Amino acid sequence: VDGKVGTYLLSPQPDAQQEEITRIRCATHSFAVLGLTPEDLAEIKDMKDVRKNFRKMSLQIHPDKVVESLRPAASQAFGKLDAACEAIEMMLSRHSEATRVLAGILRRFDQCSGILTPAEAGSLLGVSSVASAPSAVNSISRTLHLLMQGGDSEAVRPDVNRGLRILEDAAEVMKKVAEPPALGRRPVAVTRAMGLRDLKTPGAAVTCKPDCPDVVEVSPGSPVALVLASDGGVGPMADVGPVVMRHWGRPRAAALQLNRAARKETPGGKAVSTTCVYLDYDDPLQEVEPAAKRARTDDGLQARVRHILVKHKDAKDKVDPMGRGRVQPTRTLQEAEGLLVEVMDELLAKDC
């Protein structure tokens, strides 16, 4: 509650069996599940080689071969392993060269942690200039589409679609380098990565390093609050903790409260920014029962308020059809949010 970081004991190191189950469950494509590289695929002469690799891995993670606590995770991993084996067998039977090309694309993307630099994008497409990128994407895409021909393709569709998206991302990264710097930033309608691609590649918009000297180990069942703040965005840690706890599960309200407090102490109107994130880290292998409903204890003379709405001048519906003769609001959005935070603090103080 006082804002200080707690210390947690390290969990016991997982054994090889548990590590393999976790690796398979976290794999992003069929080749990663079976641990096959393009070089491995080139040496495969018979479908039996793929099935042999599957049997070897299945002996280690089969639900009947693990302890009771690992069986739910092992069942999921075994199903994923079986599906990956089926997909690779189908791809190799349709076009072995296209299969190796797809495996190479997916492996390169994994090696760069899912964020392509211009050099990595050019290497993946096999080109050095932006002008050659579109033709390279078309050529490789035609090769990958060979894996979708020949009847039912549902088993191979996820891997092929992932490869096609990576090709598009590589071409876009190379295009960004060639574009002259624009004044301001264009709105981006959609991105396939976590976060905004324009803020990550080809140049990083955030250049400062976070001040995180310690690594905190969190055990299952321990809720976590993460506060990211700019210089001057938050006060002493002893003041941050109570705000974070009071608004638990309401990150926007906590961030607004911290920003308002920091603004009062920041000279010269310096801009402040705060982001709050609440995380519940549960054991994936442990079933959690739903929380029981609270029994009704009021005497029927009280009313429950579910929403409190505060109008502001930038609202979408500026005219209130029910507010005949009322003066239209002049407060800004920030003032409206501040008013709501004050009301929430007052209600929380009264345990409402």
Side-chain angles (χ1 to χ4, degrees):
V1 177
D2 60 0
K4 296 182 179 179
V5 176
T7 303
Y8 300 89
L9 295 176
L10 289 173
S11 318
Q13 290 297 321
D15 56 18
Q17 194 176 46
Q18 184 175 352
E19 286 182 347
E20 183 67 2
I21 291 173
T22 302
R23 185 195 67 79
I24 293 176
R25 293 177 67 195
C26 296
T28 57
H29 52 84
S30 299
F31 304 102
V33 170
L34 285 171
L36 294 176
T37 66
E39 293 74 22
D40 296 332
L41 295 171
E43 296 178 0
I44 292 178
K45 305 301 181 182
D46 194 312
M47 295 299 172
K48 294 180 180 179
D49 295 335
V50 179
R51 186 59 57 174
K52 187 186 299 182
N53 195 37
F54 163 78
R55 290 195 187 97
K56 180 180 178 181
M57 298 178 66
S58 64
L59 289 175
Q60 188 175 7
I61 67 163
H62 194 282
D64 294 340
K65 304 291 184 180
V66 301
V67 297
E68 183 69 27
S69 60
L70 287 179
R71 284 185 182 174
S75 297
Q76 183 182 3
F78 184 78
K80 193 170 182 178
L81 180 65
D82 186 44
C85 181
E86 179 187 355
I88 293 177
E89 286 179 334
M90 183 179 295
M91 286 188 277
L92 286 172
S93 65
R94 292 181 176 181
H95 204 287
S96 58
E97 179 60 30
T99 304
R100 290 193 291 271
V101 171
L102 176 59
I105 293 172
L106 298 177
R107 182 173 176 81
R108 281 176 177 268
F109 193 69
D110 288 345
Q111 290 175 338
C112 66
S113 302
I115 300 181
L116 294 169
T117 64
E120 290 167 339
S123 176
L124 189 146
L125 296 176
V127 297
S128 56
S129 65
V130 180
S132 305
S135 61
V137 170
N138 292 334
S139 176
I140 301 175
S141 297
R142 285 195 298 269
T143 300
L144 297 186
H145 276 104
L146 295 174
L147 300 174
M148 303 286 287
Q149 299 176 0
D152 186 13
S153 300
E154 289 304 314
V156 304
R157 191 181 304 277
D159 292 325
V160 173
N161 286 343
R162 181 176 177 83
L164 294 173
R165 289 196 299 267
I166 292 173
L167 293 176
E168 295 175 3
D169 288 347
E172 185 173 343
V173 169
M174 296 192 69
K175 182 180 178 182
K176 289 290 183 183
V177 179
E179 289 180 349
L183 296 177
R185 290 192 176 274
R186 297 178 302 167
V188 176
V190 65
T191 176
R192 300 186 186 95
M194 181 179 290
L196 196 59
R197 182 188 292 111
D198 280 7
L199 299 181
K200 295 191 297 186
T201 56
V206 180
T207 57
C208 62
K209 294 183 179 180
D211 183 15
C212 301
D214 300 324
V215 176
V216 180
E217 297 291 338
V218 181
S219 58
S222 302
V224 178
L226 175 65
V227 179
L228 304 176
S230 60
D231 291 341
V234 296
M237 287 301 295
D239 298 334
V240 175
V243 174
V244 172
M245 296 300 295
R246 184 165 63 250
H247 293 288
W248 193 268
R250 294 182 290 268
R252 184 174 180 83
L256 287 170
Q257 186 80 323
L258 293 173
N259 279 346
R260 293 184 67 206
R263 239 182 252 116
K264 294 178 181 179
E265 301 178 4
T266 303
K270 181 181 178 181
V272 295
S273 176
T274 306
T275 299
C276 296
V277 181
Y278 293 97
L279 306 171
D280 287 325
Y281 175 41
D282 297 325
D283 188 345
L285 301 180
Q286 182 179 3
E287 295 184 0
V288 180
E289 296 183 359
K293 294 184 178 179
R294 287 193 306 174
R296 183 170 179 175
T297 57
D298 62 78
D299 54 5
L301 300 178
Q302 298 178 347
R304 177 177 295 180
V305 178
R306 299 295 299 271
H307 300 283
I308 298 178
L309 304 179
V310 177
K311 285 281 188 178
H312 58 88
K313 65 178 183 180
D314 299 321
K316 182 178 180 181
D317 299 324
K318 296 183 180 181
V319 179
D320 186 356
M322 303 301 294
R324 300 183 183 88
R326 295 180 185 174
V327 178
Q328 296 303 316
T330 58
R331 66 174 70 90
T332 64
L333 172 61
Q334 290 74 19
E335 291 172 341
E337 290 177 333
L339 179 59
L340 285 173
V341 171
E342 291 179 358
V343 173
M344 183 180 295
D345 284 340
E346 184 177 349
L347 292 175
L348 291 173
K350 296 180 180 180
D351 196 23
C352 294

